[in-house]
Amino acid sequence: METRRADTIAQELEELIFNGTYADGDRLDEVRISENFGVSRTPLREAFQRLALSGLVELIPRRGAFVRQPGPVELIEMFEVMAELEAACGRLAARRITDEALEDLREANRKCSAAVVARDVDTYYVENERFHQIIYRQSGNSFLEQEALRLHKRLKPFRRHQLNLRGRMDQSMAEHQAIVSALAGNDATLCADSLRNHVAVQGEKFHFLMSSLQNPAKSKTG
């Protein structure tokens, strides 16, 4: 129960960081925040650990947890690496994916599609995570899978937040369908290219992310 509560707290704190309630460099007061959420410090500290994995929080021994926003260069570099890792996973998965895994991807897409209709970003992201993790696993390369999972966790709040960009969920859904089509056709090159373009933060998506971090109030209008 506490683990699930920690996940919820981490997600709510992410939103408070993105909307400007907590700014870059702010110290997260354990006592006050635990009182606000009505929880003990144990799930709160677990939430801080999750935020530290994504880089939104820096844990400094004997000083506490501090908000840390990545700069534009760091963010674009991480997304560039993520795009290439996913492309590699897709290239290998196109040669190795099972029929059962393809059906699992289609089921994730069906749930993503329902979330698009409902304009439910949170549900969309949960199924989106499942979609990508299936592809990592189907690469058949456990080292690559673990590296992709590690960076995916690091970028999780940013990947979820960019879904708030107008029209992004619909675009992401179309990209998912193209990826499944490439996998079903065992087209390694097309699958790699589709995943690379799907993950890469370019143009409007990148400007949206950076404006959200630098001027959180503006993201509410986008």
Side-chain angles (χ1 to χ4, degrees), residues 3-217:
T3 298
R4 290 197 295 272
R5 185 61 176 139
D7 289 335
T8 300
I9 294 169
Q11 185 170 333
E12 291 183 29
L13 286 173
E14 283 172 11
E15 291 304 315
L16 291 173
I17 291 170
F18 276 119
N19 72 23
T21 300
Y22 295 112
D24 189 30
D26 282 355
R27 182 178 179 275
L28 298 176
D29 188 320
E30 278 191 24
V31 174
R32 185 167 62 82
I33 295 174
S34 62
E35 289 175 352
N36 288 345
F37 283 104
V39 297
S40 69
R41 294 195 192 183
T42 298
L44 183 62
R45 287 172 178 169
E46 289 181 11
F48 286 173
Q49 291 286 348
R50 286 160 173 70
L51 292 170
L53 285 174
S54 69
L56 277 179
V57 162
E58 182 178 7
L59 301 177
I60 301 177
R62 294 182 297 279
R63 290 188 59 199
F66 294 82
V67 174
R68 180 185 176 277
Q69 300 282 28
V73 173
E74 181 182 2
L75 193 59
I76 199 68
E77 285 177 346
M78 286 190 292
F79 269 101
E80 283 180 348
V81 173
M82 187 79 257
E84 293 304 323
L85 286 175
E86 296 230 9
C89 287
R91 185 181 300 108
L92 293 173
R95 301 167 185 158
R96 299 170 177 173
I97 194 164
T98 65
D99 290 339
E100 181 182 3
L102 275 171
E103 184 51 40
D104 288 341
L105 287 174
R106 293 186 179 108
E107 175 61 20
N109 268 355
R110 284 190 285 270
K111 292 181 178 179
C112 281
S113 183
V116 171
V117 173
R119 313 315 298 172
D120 184 347
V121 171
D122 289 337
T123 297
Y124 186 94
Y125 188 77
V126 168
E127 294 304 321
N128 175 74
E129 261 197 321
R130 179 183 166 210
F131 180 90
H132 286 273
Q133 289 171 6
I134 291 168
I135 295 173
Y136 303 163
R137 193 178 315 117
Q138 290 300 304
S139 72
N141 184 312
S142 59
F143 179 80
L144 177 60
E145 178 186 0
Q146 292 306 310
E147 289 300 299
L149 285 169
R150 182 184 62 80
L151 188 52
H152 187 107
K153 289 179 182 177
R154 176 78 167 82
L155 288 170
K156 180 174 180 175
F158 307 103
R159 292 181 72 153
R160 181 171 60 230
H161 193 63
Q162 55 93 18
L163 291 170
N164 290 300
L165 181 64
R166 187 178 295 114
R168 178 56 193 151
M169 277 201 297
D170 302 85
Q171 180 187 10
S172 176
M173 187 71 246
E175 291 164 356
H176 276 200
Q177 291 167 340
I179 291 163
V180 172
S181 178
L183 286 167
N186 303 118
D187 192 328
T189 300
L190 179 59
C191 187
D193 290 345
S194 297
L195 274 160
R196 183 182 295 107
N197 292 332
H198 175 61
V199 175
V201 176
Q202 302 166 355
E204 189 178 10
K205 283 195 292 180
F206 180 69
H207 291 306
F208 172 76
L209 277 177
M210 291 317 302
S211 65
S212 298
L213 294 174
Q214 295 165 0
N215 189 0

